Amino acid sequence: MGETTDPRLVWRFKRFAVIAALVSIALGLAVLLGWLFDVGWLKSLRPGMPSMKANTAVCLCLLGAALALLVDHSSSRWRRAARVCAWFVVALAALSIFEHLSGLN
């Protein structure tokens, strides 16, 4: 049976994905600026909460970029760039876990 997708629904999902990507990139960049200029309120989401680490902010930016690359770009070049971003996040996360488990800095 032929399935039909509602173009308005597809458009809404794409719009949501783009907004999510831009918010994650903006949040990551704001935290990185907080670390760069030592602005405490930019390092954490709310006053009194622990600060977000710079590694996490970089990963947030990269994942937002990967999502933005995948929304409307179906060519293999854009998918490859999104995969590179995602694999860099995986590598950074693995190194962070190794650092915590081994006690190395």
Side-chain angles (χ1 to χ4, degrees), residues 79-101:
R79 285 194 309 260
R80 197 174 315 124
R83 279 193 202 117
V84 167
C85 290
W87 277 110
F88 189 76
V89 170
V90 169
L92 193 55
L95 286 172
S96 296
I97 290 171
F98 176 75
E99 179 183 23
H100 288 293
L101 291 178

Side-chain angles (χ1 to χ4, degrees), residues 2 9-10 13 19-21 26 30 32 34 36 42 47 56 58-59 61 65 67 71 80-81 83 96-97 105:
L9 186 61
V10 171
F13 280 130
I19 291 170
L32 288 173
L36 183 64
L42 279 176
T56 306
V58 169
C59 289
C61 289
L67 180 60
V71 170
R80 197 174 315 124
R83 279 193 202 117
S96 296
I97 290 171
N105 191 358

Side-chain angles (χ1 to χ4, degrees), residues 17-70:
V18 168
I19 291 170
L22 293 176
V23 166
S24 67
I25 291 169
L27 181 61
L29 288 175
V31 171
L32 288 173
L33 287 173
W35 279 104
L36 183 64
F37 296 113
D38 197 26
V39 180
W41 62 271
L42 279 176
K43 292 180 193 178
S44 63
L45 295 176
R46 285 191 344 215
M49 290 184 66
S51 63
M52 184 186 295
K53 302 302 177 218
N55 289 354
T56 306
V58 169
C59 289
L60 202 57
C61 289
L62 287 171
L63 289 174
L67 180 60
L69 287 170
L70 290 175

Side-chain angles (χ1 to χ4, degrees), residues 72-86:
D72 259 343
H73 302 96
S74 60
S75 72
S76 62
R77 181 179 69 201
W78 295 111
R79 285 194 309 260
R80 197 174 315 124
R83 279 193 202 117
V84 167
C85 290

